[in-house]
Amino acid sequence: EVCRARRHLCCCHSGWVGRWRMADPDVVPMIAYEDGPAALDWLAKAFGFQERTRMTDKSGRLTHGEMVAGSGLIMLATPTPEYRGPAHHRDECARARAWSQVPYVIDGVLVYVDDVKLHASKAKAAGAKILSEPESTENGVRYRVEDLEGHRWMFVQRSTG
């Protein structure tokens, strides 16, 4: 049974002791990375995501990975050795370089967090490229960032009023 307060399956409802499993979200971003194992490690360090699954082939290529972010789930993998992430795509393509000049999230993911300023400082300390510093909006406080391979993310702290 799904725990309505936290949207996960937990010992308080299912009889599991000391274990939890996230309810299946309705939308799950699937993101490709050149170096999937490094991305799993970096996303945990920089963004505070929790690794749930890591499957690699004999060569060490990530065939399937899962990370938990709050009540959400993110899947990632390295689809082929020839795959190039957004940062390398910009290096090789003038049009990608041009559309990436703006600080907006292009084909990215929005994640809600409790403390945007603290989150941004941890991401920056881990080497994330901050696209826009935390700023207040009518919907809360947000910042935009690129990860180690150039994927764009927006982190938002919901407004309390």
Side-chain angles (χ1 to χ4, degrees):
E1 182 178 337
V2 173
C3 175
R4 300 289 178 225
R6 300 195 58 134
R7 291 212 18 101
H8 67 275
L9 294 179
C10 65
C11 60
C12 59
H13 296 291
S14 65
W16 296 356
V17 177
R19 299 188 59 149
W20 63 272
R21 186 173 71 88
M22 192 170 173
D24 294 329
D26 293 330
V27 176
V28 177
M30 299 169 64
I31 305 172
Y33 283 90
E34 293 176 37
D35 186 342
L40 285 168
D41 296 339
W42 191 90
L43 292 167
K45 178 181 176 184
F47 294 164
F49 298 163
Q50 295 176 332
E51 184 176 322
R52 185 168 95 163
T53 304
R54 181 185 296 231
M55 298 175 177
T56 56
D57 64 13
K58 291 178 185 176
S59 71
R61 181 180 64 88
L62 185 70
T63 57
H64 179 77
E66 296 180 5
M67 300 203 84
V68 175
S71 62
L73 179 67
I74 300 157
M75 291 185 183
L76 50 147
T78 302
T80 171
E82 290 76 25
Y83 172 78
R84 292 296 171 255
H88 280 134
H89 186 192
R90 285 193 300 265
D91 291 344
E92 300 166 357
C93 175
R95 289 189 81 170
R97 230 179 351 271
W99 77 54
S100 297
Q101 295 302 310
V102 298
Y104 308 119
V105 175
I106 302 166
D107 297 330
V109 182
L110 182 145
V111 180
Y112 289 101
V113 296
D114 293 331
D115 186 335
V116 159
K117 291 179 182 176
L118 177 63
H119 193 277
S121 69
K122 288 181 179 181
K124 190 173 189 174
K129 178 181 176 184
I130 305 297
L131 300 171
S132 65
E133 294 292 335
E135 59 187 344
S136 294
T137 71
E138 61 193 37
N139 299 315
V141 182
R142 70 175 181 211
Y143 81 102
R144 298 176 191 97
V145 62
E146 279 188 356
D147 66 23
L148 75 165
E149 290 193 12
H151 297 282
R152 292 188 172 191
W153 302 77
M154 180 184 296
F155 291 92
V156 177
Q157 178 181 334
R158 289 184 170 102
S159 63
T160 57

